[in-house]
Amino acid sequence: SNDATLFSYRAGLVFKPTPLSSIYLAYGNSQTPSVATVNGSCALDNCNVDPEEAESIELGVKWDALDGRLSLTAAVARNERTNYRVDDPGNPDNPSGQEVLDGSARVDSVVLGLAGRILPQWSIFANYTYLDSEVLQGASDFLAGNGRDYTRGDPLTNTPRHAASLWTTWDIARGIQFGFGLTWQGRVWIQQHSAANPEGPLPTVGGHVVHRAMASYAVNRGLRLQLNVNNLFDKQYLTRLRTQR
């Protein structure tokens, strides 16, 4: 997409009940104009369309353990997207079939994380994310009013419900460090319901794990040599899938 953000802001509050813990609340809002409006290619009937909007609210906590060497975090969030374009075929008030801004979707999330140095030689960084996505309205008001919003309640495509990552390093000798990490993504849905499949099961693609490794040597205080290997086992993965509508 060539869309550009028209307006955005983010505000938050932080409360520290103890020196080693904190609680925060954050809110954000952004608006994105259509690409036709941005690049000047709009026609008379789509030059003044409202922008797509996104709104997020997040509540999180952080706690430092092991005398501050290890940070534990947890957060819950809700992200809502409104005014995105959806089809509007057969609407007598829209004879040209112009897409309309009636779409809306929501993603509720839980994020858990830890980061720090457990032992003098051992550091670890890990997180887990749970995403519960849902289409609130995937068709125009005209179609939805006639019972033809087939995607309502469907999960968003290419949005994994579960994902996690891990990175850990170990100082095996003075100046020598090894690291290993992995990123895991659960299955994703690649289609939503349609007139051809209004209630049947939805196709998915299974999850995958990508491994990576690192080795480094500190020659002196100003020079470090490092080798990084991504996709350690040389597997081929499709990171994003799409189907024609």
Side-chain angles (χ1 to χ4, degrees):
S1 171
N2 294 320
D3 291 0
T5 300
L6 173 68
F7 173 79
S8 66
Y9 68 88
R10 186 173 177 85
L13 296 172
V14 178
F15 171 64
K16 292 184 68 67
T18 70
L20 296 178
S21 64
S22 60
I23 303 172
Y24 70 89
L25 178 66
Y27 172 82
N29 185 289
S30 66
Q31 298 180 355
T32 304
S34 69
V35 62
T37 303
V38 173
N39 63 21
S41 64
C42 59
L44 293 178
D45 56 353
N46 68 356
C47 280
N48 297 314
V49 295
D50 292 335
E52 179 183 314
E53 296 187 21
E55 186 178 49
S56 65
I57 185 168
E58 181 177 344
L59 175 66
V61 297
K62 178 183 177 183
W63 178 57
D64 294 329
L66 302 179
D67 296 325
R69 299 196 313 272
L70 184 66
S71 294
L72 306 175
T73 58
V76 294
R78 167 164 289 186
N79 294 270
E80 293 190 346
R81 178 186 172 206
T82 57
N83 272 10
Y84 66 81
R85 293 189 177 207
V86 291
D87 292 333
D88 188 32
N91 186 350
D93 296 327
N94 183 19
S96 65
Q98 178 77 31
E99 291 182 319
V100 294
L101 305 178
D102 293 337
S104 62
R106 179 175 63 216
V107 179
D108 292 324
S109 61
V110 177
V111 180
L112 306 175
L114 64 88
R117 187 175 291 272
I118 298 177
L119 296 174
Q121 301 85 11
W122 181 28
S123 297
I124 187 170
F125 308 87
N127 65 71
Y128 164 77
T129 302
Y130 172 79
L131 300 176
D132 181 18
S133 64
E134 181 182 0
V135 176
L136 302 180
Q137 182 169 327
S140 67
D141 290 342
F142 171 76
L143 294 177
N146 287 278
R148 295 165 60 191
D149 185 2
Y150 303 109
T151 63
R152 181 182 177 90
D154 286 354
L156 299 180
T157 57
N158 297 298
T159 303
R161 182 160 291 178
H162 304 279
S165 66
L166 169 71
W167 177 255
T168 184
T169 61
W170 186 268
D171 301 324
I172 64 171
R174 184 178 179 84
I176 301 177
Q177 184 182 78
F178 283 107
F180 173 78
L182 55 85
T183 301
W184 168 72
Q185 174 184 292
R187 65 170 182 162
V188 296
W189 285 263
I190 58 173
Q191 283 185 351
Q192 295 173 329
H193 287 110
S194 63
N197 178 26
E199 297 180 355
L202 297 173
T204 63
V205 171
H208 62 267
V209 179
V210 178
H211 301 261
R212 59 191 189 277
M214 178 273 293
S216 69
Y217 173 65
V219 180
N220 52 48
R221 295 185 61 180
L223 177 63
R224 173 183 290 269
L225 304 178
Q226 181 167 316
L227 173 66
N228 289 74
V229 180
N230 293 318
N231 195 8
L232 183 62
F233 299 110
D234 194 26
K235 299 292 185 179
Q236 186 175 29
Y237 304 100
L238 300 177
T239 59
R240 186 173 180 86
L241 301 168
R242 62 175 296 178
T243 57
Q244 292 187 353
R245 299 169 60 183

